[in-house]
Amino acid sequence: MAPVLVAGAGPVGLTAALALARRGVPVTVLEAEPGLAAESRASTFHPPSLEMLDGLGVLGRLLERGLVSRTFQYRDRRGGVIAELDLSVLSGDTPYPFRVQCEQSKLTPVLRDHLLDAGGEVRFGAAVRAVLAHGGGVEVTTADGERFRGAWLIGADGAGSAVRRSLGVEFAGMTYPERFLVASTTTAVEDLLPGIAAVNYVFDPDEWLVLLRTPDHWRVLFPTPEGTPDARELARLPERLREVADAPWDVAHASLYRVHQRVAGTFRAGRVLLAGDAAHVNNPLGGMGMNSGIHDAVLLAGALADVLGGGAQAALDAVAAARRDTARSFVRRMTHGNWERMRDPAGHHEELRRLAADPAEARRHLLRTSMIASLRDVA
């Protein structure tokens, strides 16, 4: 059997590759960089992702490296905690009624090791530049002119996907007016803001922010106006942090980036599938980007393995269409709603307090924010 090719050795590409390898499908991952990315990037794993990673046999090692977060807080910049929600109300809906806070760079080596043990292959320094798909398979040409032939290709090579661009698949959407500034700090934020949870959404009409704890540091996300020099915004970061808590902050790393909401015109083009950021990008509020990509990877890989085992391609088409619909109707709507709520908190305080006080309402809300509702019908 010709291998399935996977472009991209991030959490989505490696998850797809491992899911295929677990089904006995030969798979080769092509990664542009010389090694796995070391940047922290995404850091929240929701319950359905934990279920899927458990099914692939890698959850134990993720739990060893991560922090279990059973609660998260909605806070007011000046008034403190508005509401704290406890994912334990989902204990009847998932075996993992919590989030795991862990940088994706701690998961990808685990996925790679399990993939290699399962007989898969990872080729570094193999940047995909062109894709030629035909009825009998796919041919990929790298930047170095090397050619790889496979039965199918899964493009998981990020928002700037060469796979998607080579196929001419539309990537329609919008760009947010502000940039996002993310800073990592080794400062003990829990001492500066006693009682803070590991995940916090801080409302403010002038300058909202997000505070997330990971095993190695805290992360702070600020909206940042467009049209100003990056150097200026990075220079005023210490001042902005002091306005969160009036103390010195140790900044380990900071970066600015533009944020987009886009969805590919199709997640399947012949023998090529798109997953993760190659298929859809969204703002990070709610931590749904990497998680929805992991869901893409597992569901598309499972459907593809069925096709390779003799199943009907119509089932694969249905999964690809369903994942695109989820990206458009669920992930995009939820994350954009989070952005709107953070910028205009008026009227949301009482709503959130009611949620926290009513277990049934809290469950309905958490089924959506945990992404369980994006994958199955829930009462």
Side-chain angles (χ1 to χ4, degrees):
M1 181 190 299
V4 171
L5 304 177
V6 177
V12 175
L14 289 172
T15 296
L18 181 58
L20 288 166
R22 291 279 193 244
R23 295 283 299 271
V25 176
V27 59
T28 298
V29 179
L30 307 176
E31 168 55 42
E33 299 301 321
L36 297 175
E39 297 91 347
S40 57
R41 299 184 186 176
S43 60
T44 293
F45 292 85
H46 289 303
S49 304
L50 302 178
E51 294 177 25
M52 291 178 178
L53 294 173
D54 187 20
L56 293 175
V58 300
L59 179 60
R61 290 181 64 184
L62 177 66
L63 292 174
E64 290 171 0
R65 291 158 171 75
L67 298 173
V68 170
S69 175
R70 298 186 182 278
T71 64
F72 65 92
Q73 292 178 353
Y74 295 106
R75 301 174 68 94
D76 182 83
R77 183 75 179 262
R78 294 165 180 82
V81 179
I82 302 166
E84 180 172 277
L85 294 181
D86 190 338
L87 278 81
S88 296
V89 301
L90 299 178
S91 58
D93 300 287
T94 174
Y96 306 108
F98 49 80
R99 296 179 176 187
V100 171
Q101 294 299 111
C102 185
E103 300 89 343
Q104 69 178 54
S105 58
K106 287 182 166 62
L107 173 65
T108 48
V110 176
L111 293 169
R112 176 203 57 201
D113 292 348
H114 278 258
L115 174 62
L116 297 177
D117 289 344
E121 179 185 22
V122 181
R123 298 285 296 269
F124 291 105
V128 174
R129 285 294 176 266
V131 177
L132 176 62
H134 48 79
V138 179
E139 181 175 283
V140 169
T141 304
T142 69
D144 293 335
E146 193 172 4
R147 293 184 178 182
F148 293 86
R149 290 179 173 83
W152 291 75
L153 168 66
I154 298 178
D157 51 338
S161 173
V163 172
R164 188 190 65 244
R165 287 186 282 108
S166 182
L167 295 171
V169 174
E170 182 185 27
F171 203 41
M174 53 87 74
T175 300
Y176 282 91
E178 69 264 74
R179 293 165 290 170
F180 282 21
L181 191 160
V182 178
S184 299
T185 175
T186 55
T187 297
V189 179
E190 67 273 20
D191 293 339
L192 301 179
L193 300 169
I196 195 170
V199 178
N200 307 271
Y201 303 102
V202 185
F203 292 2
D204 189 83
D206 298 319
E207 185 179 80
W208 57 265
L209 64 132
V210 179
L211 288 163
L212 302 173
R213 189 174 184 177
T214 69
D216 296 336
H217 52 242
W218 281 86
R219 300 175 75 183
V220 187
L221 186 154
F222 290 108
T224 302
E226 62 178 345
T228 59
D230 287 4
R232 173 184 166 186
E233 297 299 343
L234 293 171
R236 72 184 188 98
L237 175 60
E239 172 191 346
R240 298 179 78 180
L241 290 169
R242 276 188 172 274
E243 290 173 355
V244 177
D246 190 11
W249 293 64
D250 295 321
V251 177
H253 179 264
S255 62
L256 277 158
Y257 61 95
R258 300 308 302 261
V259 180
H260 310 271
Q261 294 272 91
R262 300 184 184 279
V263 179
T266 181
F267 285 15
R268 180 186 175 191
R271 288 192 171 230
V272 180
L273 304 170
L274 297 175
D277 285 356
H280 51 87
V281 292
N282 54 267
N283 79 59
L285 300 176
M288 295 189 175
M290 175 186 65
N291 285 274
S292 57
I294 288 173
H295 305 167
D296 293 341
V298 171
L299 296 173
L300 288 170
L304 177 55
D306 289 343
V307 169
L308 293 170
Q313 292 195 21
L316 176 59
D317 287 333
V319 171
R323 292 310 303 160
R324 184 173 184 271
D325 184 63
T326 295
R328 294 174 66 249
S329 64
F330 185 91
V331 176
R332 182 168 63 180
R333 177 170 51 84
M334 289 287 293
T335 57
H336 189 71
N338 290 338
W339 176 76
E340 291 180 324
R341 191 177 301 114
M342 298 288 282
R343 298 172 76 239
D344 184 18
H348 295 295
H349 289 200
E350 286 306 314
E351 173 193 352
L352 292 170
R353 291 189 182 104
R354 285 196 301 270
L355 276 177
D358 184 336
E361 286 298 318
R363 174 178 172 267
R364 280 190 281 271
H365 179 73
L366 291 170
L367 285 169
R368 295 191 299 273
T369 60
S370 71
M371 304 191 74
I372 291 173
S374 75
L375 292 163
R376 60 178 186 258
D377 292 333
V378 285

